[in-house]
Amino acid sequence: MLVAREAVQALLPQRRALGDGRSRRFLRVDIPGEDAFAAELATLEALAQRATLITGAVFSTAQWRVEVDILVRRPDGLYMPVIVSNHRVARAAQGHSTPVLATGRLGLGEPVEGQFRLRHHAIDGYRLGLAARALAEMDLDSGWGGTIGQDRTRAFLERTASFQPALDKALDLPLPRRPRRVKECATCRFRPLCDVELTELDDISLVLPGDRAEPFREQGITTVQELIDARWLGEPAALAKAWREGIPLLRRVDAVDAPRADVEIDVDMEAYLDQGAYLWGTFDGQDYRAFATWEPLGGDAEAENFARLWAWLEQKREQAHRDGVTFAAYCWSAHGENHWMRMSARRFGGRRFTDVTVPTEAEVVEFISSQEWVDMFDVVRRQLVGPYGLGLKVVAPVAGYTWADGDFDGEESVNARRVARGVDKQALETRSRLLRYNEDDCRATARVREWMRAGAPGTPLIRQYLDDEATGSPQRGEAESPRG
């Protein structure tokens, strides 16, 4: 989030722009975040000064505290809170209308209607709802709020009244007397403190975070050990036992397998926020081939890059058909690839670049709806389960695959893309790292497929795993997995 906020800060106006008029008042106040109490006082002072933009604002009551990335003063003197989020907060959608304001014109410009559908995330709604309440206490609430998501250049606006019922419900709940693990713990600075207590309590949320544990709590099962002991529950008990023993995967079925084809291609895509896909990687079982552009997205460079990927993929597919053999392309969790294939076709469909043409959306839909486009995540989750999820970085190591850059992940690749757009030595090194990371994802997907065809060796069957517990003779050796 620090990088995201810095990117937005750099885009915010510092002064009036040409055409705004000399008479238009503009005052920006940036509040340091080192001291929370001082930030609250500085927020009140900036509001009293009628500042046009206030960054780093803080409000609190005896019950809650909220940090607001930007407060924007409107012409009527009321304020609109704007938050920065790493979520995708809107998608282009014909027939939908949402007010949008450029980040660089906050406090100066007027919103315009854009064809977008908003995507709501609870934590973002709570922040805007609390900020609106704080402003309402001072009669400064405009009734509007804004969210800057993965596209840092635009704030998507909406009425904050819609957040209040859920906020009322949340605030009416009694304060918990002990910690419970939820999704948001991953980014909470207090997690190390809570983890100690959760471990001492052996709390069931260590295995089943959030509301997933509620059905078991209602049955009086509140600890990991109690869940392990409830063998009649089947899979949940097995997951708890696997978590306790550090076993990453269990088999749901007796015989694990994966789809096969004579010609197989693994595909992995890297996108930059909501702006576009800049890298499509492919692996044909022998060679990795990357289709990449380091140019700005949204124009001819992105369109041609996608057209060249599509032409190469279709050539492989059509050649297989001519040869009378089967073809399949595989990816891991197809949601992202499907979205950017369709979006690329929707934005650029029909554009011609020398020897390649961007496909139409209908052509893309025909392909991704066919049996020749296989989501390996779906294949895995039908047959395997694990206490740490079924991400590629969880499953592939069990299959014996390791990444060259083990600490590199999807979120870091977003930051790396910005660096890679340069022309200096660091940019070139970053490009190589992104290509290496993408190649590893392609090869890892292929490795998982091979491992599943071999029966997923080293992965205990849930039924037998629980039977071992019942007889008191756990087969730990059966759970050991190869590491590459």
Side-chain angles (χ1 to χ4, degrees):
M1 280 302 298
L2 178 60
V3 173
R5 291 189 173 104
E6 289 175 347
V8 171
Q9 284 268 5
L11 293 172
L12 291 173
Q14 297 282 356
R15 60 186 66 84
R16 296 187 305 270
L18 290 175
D20 284 331
R22 291 174 178 261
S23 62
R24 184 161 192 170
R25 180 178 180 275
F26 183 88
L27 172 63
R28 172 173 166 175
V29 176
D30 297 314
I31 299 173
E34 291 83 5
D35 185 320
F37 180 68
E40 288 187 55
L41 295 179
T43 299
L44 297 176
E45 178 63 25
L47 290 170
Q49 291 178 279
R50 298 184 300 160
T52 314
L53 285 186
I54 305 169
T55 69
V58 176
F59 298 110
S60 72
T61 70
Q63 191 176 10
W64 49 261
R65 178 177 181 274
V66 62
E67 298 175 356
V68 188
D69 296 298
I70 312 160
L71 290 174
V72 181
R73 192 172 192 269
R74 292 158 44 103
D76 59 9
L78 302 178
Y79 280 86
M80 176 177 70
V82 177
I83 63 169
V84 178
S85 171
N86 268 336
H87 293 128
R88 180 180 283 116
V89 300
R91 284 196 186 277
Q94 292 184 354
H96 289 260
S97 183
T98 297
V100 183
L101 184 55
T103 303
R105 294 294 292 165
L106 286 172
L108 292 171
E110 293 295 326
V112 297
E113 293 297 318
Q115 294 191 50
F116 295 94
R117 179 192 289 116
L118 294 177
R119 298 187 66 190
H120 291 104
H121 304 271
I123 189 66
D124 295 340
Y126 287 150
R127 290 178 64 198
L128 285 176
L130 289 173
R133 290 192 178 199
L135 290 167
E137 287 292 319
M138 295 176 278
D139 295 324
L140 292 175
D141 178 33
S142 67
W144 286 87
T147 308
I148 300 172
Q150 293 181 357
D151 179 357
R152 311 303 185 200
T153 66
R154 291 183 287 198
F156 295 90
L157 313 184
E158 59 185 315
R159 294 282 188 178
T160 56
S162 62
F163 303 127
Q164 300 305 329
L167 188 54
D168 283 334
K169 185 176 180 180
L171 292 174
D172 285 343
L173 292 173
L175 291 175
R177 289 175 291 180
R178 64 185 192 182
R180 180 176 297 183
R181 190 164 75 91
V182 295
K183 181 177 65 175
E184 289 76 16
C185 290
T187 56
C188 179
R189 65 181 184 273
F190 297 111
R191 180 174 181 176
L193 298 175
C194 293
D195 278 350
V196 173
E197 188 173 351
L198 286 168
T199 301
E200 291 175 350
L201 293 168
D202 195 31
D203 193 85
I204 192 174
S205 69
L206 289 167
V207 177
L208 300 173
D211 293 335
R212 292 172 57 197
E214 286 309 304
F216 305 106
R217 291 183 189 276
E218 291 173 1
Q219 299 178 52
I221 299 171
T222 62
T223 69
V224 175
Q225 189 57 53
E226 288 170 347
L227 186 56
I228 293 171
D229 294 339
R231 289 188 298 275
W232 63 88
L233 293 173
E235 187 172 295
L239 280 174
K241 181 172 180 253
W243 177 85
R244 177 81 82 207
E245 298 181 352
I247 296 174
L249 295 173
L250 300 171
R251 282 185 286 135
R252 283 175 158 161
V253 297
D254 290 333
V256 173
D257 203 353
R260 302 169 188 263
D262 298 309
V263 178
E264 298 187 323
I265 307 292
D266 290 280
V267 179
D268 187 70
M269 175 275 308
E270 304 295 337
Y272 180 67
L273 304 178
D274 265 349
Q275 297 181 22
Y278 66 90
L279 170 58
W280 295 87
T282 65
F283 177 62
D284 64 5
Q286 292 185 326
D287 299 315
Y288 168 76
R289 179 188 293 263
F291 298 86
T293 177
W294 311 109
E295 300 297 320
L297 297 172
D300 284 350
E302 182 188 355
E304 182 176 359
N305 188 58
F306 178 63
R308 295 203 174 279
L309 160 81
W310 185 263
W312 182 85
L313 202 58
E314 281 295 285
Q315 185 272 325
K316 293 287 187 181
R317 188 185 185 201
E318 291 168 3
Q319 186 63 53
H321 293 171
R322 286 193 295 269
D323 293 342
V325 298
T326 55
F327 171 91
Y330 304 87
C331 70
W332 193 274
S333 190
H335 178 77
E337 280 78 6
N338 288 352
H339 169 74
W340 282 114
M341 280 191 186
R342 295 186 65 164
M343 186 61 68
S344 299
R346 192 176 301 164
R347 291 186 299 165
F348 310 124
R351 289 197 196 180
R352 178 81 179 172
F353 300 94
T354 312
D355 57 335
V356 295
T357 302
V358 179
T360 65
E361 188 172 2
E363 290 176 293
V364 166
V365 170
E366 182 275 328
F367 171 63
I368 64 178
S369 302
S370 75
Q371 297 297 312
E372 294 179 324
W373 180 238
V374 182
D375 187 340
M376 279 302 298
F377 176 74
D378 281 343
V379 173
V380 167
R381 69 178 175 179
R382 287 195 297 268
Q383 303 177 75
L384 304 174
V385 68
Y388 313 111
L390 294 174
L392 185 58
K393 286 284 185 72
V394 173
V395 179
V398 181
Y401 194 87
T402 55
W403 275 252
D405 299 292
D407 58 343
F408 200 68
D409 58 22
E411 185 172 346
E412 191 171 350
S413 74
V414 173
N415 300 328
R417 158 68 186 179
R418 282 194 287 267
V419 178
R421 287 188 55 194
V423 294
D424 57 6
K425 181 180 179 182
Q426 183 184 12
L428 297 178
E429 290 174 348
T430 303
R431 292 181 188 183
S432 295
R433 192 179 190 196
L434 283 166
L435 292 172
R436 189 165 60 245
Y437 169 67
N438 181 263
E439 179 178 359
D440 272 335
D441 280 356
C442 291
R443 289 179 178 271
T445 304
R447 178 68 65 83
V448 169
R449 194 164 58 256
E450 296 167 2
W451 172 73
M452 293 184 71
R453 289 170 184 167
T459 307
L461 179 65
I462 287 178
R463 183 180 64 255
Q464 294 176 348
Y465 188 56
L466 289 173
D467 287 345
D468 291 338
E469 174 70 13
T471 59
S473 55
Q475 301 298 310
R476 293 298 300 274
E478 292 182 4
E480 293 176 1
S481 57
R483 302 283 173 171

